[in-house]
Amino acid sequence: MALLPDFVTGNAGLCLIAASCIGATWLYYRRASTLPNVPGPPPSSFLTGNLLDVVAPATGRDWLLNVSTVYGGVAKLGTLFGGHSLLVNDPRALHQVLVKDQDIFEEWSAWTTTNSLLFGPGLLATVGSQHKKQRKMLGPAFSVTHLRVMTPMFVSIARELETHISSMVQNNPQEVDMIGWLTRFALEAIGRGGMGRSFGNMTEATIFSEAAKQLTASLSVMSPGATLTPFFKYLGPPQFRRLLLKSIPWSLLQRLVDIVDIMDDEAKKILAEQQKDLANHDTDKDGEDIIRILLRANQASNEEERMTEEELVAQISILVFTAMDTTSTAIARVLHLLALHPDVQEKLRAEVIEAYHHQDEAVDFNNLSALPYMDAIIKETLRVYPPIPMMFRQTLKDTVLPLLHPITGEDGKVMNEVHVEKGTDIVVNIIGANHNTKTWGKDASEWKPERWLSDLPESVTKIRDLSGVFAHQMTFIAGNRSCIGFNFAQLEMRVVLAILIQSLEFSIPKDKEIAWNSGLLMTPVLEGSSSIHTQLPLIVKKRKI
């Protein structure tokens, strides 16, 4: 998937790049930092620094890993017009950025502004006290207690998925694009579990499901223009900005506007339905979904603490966006790896069949958590192949980053800390942290589920308080902006694997090679394809039970 060539094709693409560069002139003066002694890769150009290296679809992931290997836990990256940012994967420095001094290292303004323009003032678009208020109110809906209640619903949807795929391969093995089916599963899971409604037949796409599926692909293509968005919000009221966007003759941009409209309209309908049910004390629905729990909490809050109607609508769109693509690509990565490693696949299958060898054995929260090999596969996959390879922060005042592993500066002297000026952008190198050989050992970049079946090395356990919220790794980040739905995503992964692996076998097509491209997410594509859309063709065979 040649995202950047697609992006720069045509006058509209070139105009957006030019606009980004003009806007970035201001960013240079704001972000330029005195980091002359921190080593780092030479900029590819004065105009773009290392930015195009970082976002290159086919090579960005490997580039980040190589920089971490060569330069250590902190590296200096070139940005627009000769500016600099810091690429960070050192455990102690990440703890400082994400946990200890998280109020100093705030979410990147280009990220929050983009999310605000796309979804409204929801969890991904807010900072400071507003973000803390929203997260506190959403928290109970993602608790383990609530997930226990939701497990039967996930199992039901997974069985629907298995039934549809089994019917396709009943007589003979067939090539199946698994990412399409997994996306439908994830959308239906967040629909029923999050919104209290179904988004339609799993075998048939709807206008909404197609829009939601295309959003990430469209944004990934346009990501090089992200630095423009903080300026865009100053170009007048929303109506004028919308008119401005509509005047740009770029089909991809126009499609993005349509996608946002479709998702916003659906979110408003969902909220209206939920508010009506709550007002009528409707208790007929199965269990308590996320939005209903949120509305009850909002209703019970003090008036000054309550979310506005706009904030509530934004939460719905954001939940659909984040829960659908990240989960489906994570499950897709596991299935791809199982297809590449049939011995691991068979070992997992044996564990699952042994656990559910009685036909009336229910797949529930407790026994899903008691499958050590499945747990190892999920943890190792999320460590080696995090769906999101990096995140960004901006420094709000001068500070110091302490290092667990000192680096050697360009002057040859050992650096135990790095002085960071206000305005410096921090690239949180998730994949670099997860592959850090000083933490995980020389085989850090190898996919070895077995490493989780015995005691982890001291180098891993000693950073327990410095690492993220999940299994000593940074996949779900840490601090008050960690992924609120990481337990939700893991449960979906466990349920799908437990249901599919019992009756289906997965292998790699002989005539196709699957690659994974960097963008907003790591997404599967066919090697050499120029499409912006994801594909994961696997040979699926029905097992005789």
Side-chain angles (χ1 to χ4, degrees):
M1 180 167 62
L3 297 185
L4 289 178
D6 285 351
F7 172 76
V8 298
T9 298
N11 293 332
L14 293 174
C15 287
L16 186 57
I17 290 179
S20 298
C21 292
I22 293 171
T25 304
W26 177 81
L27 290 178
Y28 164 62
Y29 290 109
R30 183 182 69 83
R31 294 181 183 175
S33 178
T34 55
L35 302 169
N37 198 39
V38 177
S44 298
S45 75
F46 175 77
L47 180 64
T48 61
N50 297 116
L51 293 182
L52 295 185
D53 299 317
V54 173
V55 302
T59 60
R61 173 187 181 275
D62 291 339
W63 190 88
L64 285 171
L65 285 175
N66 183 62
V67 171
S68 300
T69 300
V70 173
Y71 296 97
V74 177
K76 178 174 59 183
L77 298 186
T79 58
L80 299 173
F81 294 101
H84 293 105
S85 63
L86 279 179
L87 179 69
V88 180
N89 71 74
D90 180 89
R92 182 166 290 153
L94 287 176
H95 181 260
Q96 197 83 4
V97 170
L98 299 172
V99 180
K100 188 173 182 180
D101 284 341
Q102 54 192 306
D103 291 333
I104 295 176
F105 298 96
E106 188 53 88
E107 190 70 77
W108 195 34
S109 60
W111 172 253
T112 54
T113 304
T114 299
N115 288 319
S116 178
L117 293 171
L118 290 170
F119 308 117
L123 202 60
L124 295 184
T126 55
V127 297
S129 59
Q130 186 182 15
H131 177 84
K132 292 177 182 177
K133 174 193 73 175
Q134 292 181 359
R135 188 179 178 95
K136 181 180 179 181
M137 205 169 289
L138 277 164
F142 292 97
S143 67
V144 171
T145 300
H146 186 231
L147 289 178
R148 290 179 187 275
V149 177
M150 296 178 70
T151 304
M153 178 268 296
F154 285 160
V155 172
S156 175
I157 300 172
R159 291 199 186 282
E160 290 178 33
L161 174 66
E162 189 276 336
T163 299
H164 290 308
I165 297 176
S166 288
S167 67
M168 298 168 59
V169 301
Q170 186 68 45
N171 298 321
N172 295 294
Q174 301 287 335
E175 182 181 295
V176 179
D177 181 12
M178 288 303 300
I179 190 65
W181 287 100
L182 295 173
T183 299
R184 292 171 203 160
F185 165 82
L187 180 60
E188 193 64 3
I190 192 60
R192 296 188 206 174
M195 315 297 147
R197 61 174 294 179
S198 171
F199 283 126
N201 191 323
M202 196 177 293
T203 60
E204 297 177 5
T206 65
I207 293 175
F208 176 76
S209 66
E210 280 299 296
K213 186 173 70 174
Q214 293 174 20
L215 181 57
T216 295
S218 301
L219 290 175
S220 292
V221 174
M222 302 174 70
S223 61
T227 51
L228 180 64
T229 55
F231 308 99
F232 186 72
K233 67 179 181 180
Y234 297 113
L235 297 179
Q239 295 84 353
F240 176 76
R241 298 199 302 261
R242 182 180 185 79
L243 183 64
L244 182 64
L245 287 176
K246 281 291 186 182
S247 68
I248 299 176
W250 189 14
S251 60
L252 185 62
L253 181 60
Q254 300 310 315
R255 177 55 183 156
L256 181 60
V257 173
D258 292 339
I259 289 171
V260 170
D261 286 345
I262 291 169
M263 294 189 67
D264 185 63
D265 288 344
E266 191 72 14
K268 289 176 179 176
K269 290 178 184 176
I270 292 171
L271 180 61
E273 291 172 3
Q274 289 275 20
Q275 289 174 327
K276 181 179 178 181
D277 290 343
L278 198 59
N280 295 334
H281 305 287
D282 183 359
T283 58
D284 292 337
K285 293 184 177 179
D286 296 332
E288 289 280 82
D289 55 76
I290 293 171
I291 296 304
R292 181 170 291 204
I293 292 173
L294 173 61
L295 290 179
R296 290 188 190 281
N298 199 50
Q299 194 176 65
S301 299
N302 297 327
E303 187 172 350
E304 62 272 15
E305 291 293 319
R306 287 177 189 162
M307 291 191 203
T308 64
E309 193 93 349
E310 188 181 17
E311 286 178 283
L312 292 170
V313 170
Q315 308 306 344
I316 294 173
S317 294
I318 286 172
L319 285 173
V320 171
F321 170 64
T322 55
M324 186 181 72
D325 279 340
T326 52
T327 304
S328 61
T329 55
I331 302 172
R333 178 71 85 163
V334 175
L335 291 182
H336 184 205
L337 289 165
L338 293 178
L340 289 169
H341 301 275
D343 56 328
V344 176
Q345 182 178 165
E346 189 53 44
K347 193 172 179 180
L348 173 63
R349 181 174 294 110
E351 179 183 70
V352 173
I353 291 174
E354 174 65 23
Y356 304 112
H357 62 283
H358 300 296
Q359 289 188 352
D360 59 349
E361 187 83 31
V363 177
D364 63 26
F365 186 90
N366 289 333
N367 55 39
L368 280 171
S369 301
L371 299 173
Y373 199 56
M374 178 186 287
D375 182 67
I377 288 172
I378 290 173
K379 285 179 177 177
E380 183 71 345
T381 301
L382 291 173
R383 183 190 70 83
V384 179
Y385 302 105
I388 300 175
M390 59 186 169
M391 293 292 288
F392 299 87
R393 295 291 185 268
Q394 58 187 20
T395 311
L396 302 184
K397 69 177 185 180
D398 293 356
T399 188
V400 174
L401 282 184
L403 303 178
L404 181 65
H405 305 297
I407 62 173
T408 301
E410 293 192 348
D411 61 1
K413 295 180 180 179
V414 174
M415 300 177 66
N416 294 295
E417 59 185 25
V418 176
H419 293 261
V420 185
E421 288 187 351
K422 175 182 178 180
T424 303
D425 284 341
I426 305 294
V427 183
V428 178
N429 190 358
I430 295 173
I431 195 163
N434 286 359
H435 287 240
N436 192 331
T437 57
K438 292 180 179 178
T439 300
W440 297 96
K442 294 181 180 179
D443 61 352
S445 292
E446 297 180 37
W447 186 72
K448 291 183 174 181
E450 288 74 15
R451 78 173 74 236
W452 298 92
L453 299 177
S454 57
D455 292 338
L456 294 170
E458 184 183 355
S459 57
V460 173
T461 57
K462 77 176 184 180
I463 66 164
R464 185 186 306 273
D465 295 331
L466 302 180
S467 58
V469 297
F470 171 72
H472 312 287
Q473 54 187 275
M474 290 306 307
T475 299
F476 296 107
I477 302 294
N480 62 12
R481 298 198 77 96
S482 62
C483 176
I484 195 171
F486 77 98
N487 280 321
F488 189 97
Q490 286 183 77
L491 180 57
E492 287 186 70
M493 295 177 72
R494 292 174 186 277
V495 169
V496 170
L497 289 175
I499 299 299
L500 295 189
I501 206 68
Q502 294 183 68
S503 60
L504 302 173
E505 294 181 8
F506 302 93
S507 57
I508 301 293
K510 294 181 180 180
D511 59 340
K512 295 177 181 177
E513 187 172 349
I514 299 163
W516 287 77
N517 279 355
S518 289
L520 292 180
L521 300 171
M522 297 296 301
T523 53
V525 296
L526 287 182
E527 185 73 50
S529 171
S530 61
S531 172
I532 68 170
H533 300 298
T534 57
Q535 298 180 72
L536 181 63
L538 296 179
I539 301 299
V540 184
K541 177 183 176 181
K542 179 70 174 178
R543 294 184 67 250
K544 294 181 179 180
I545 301 177

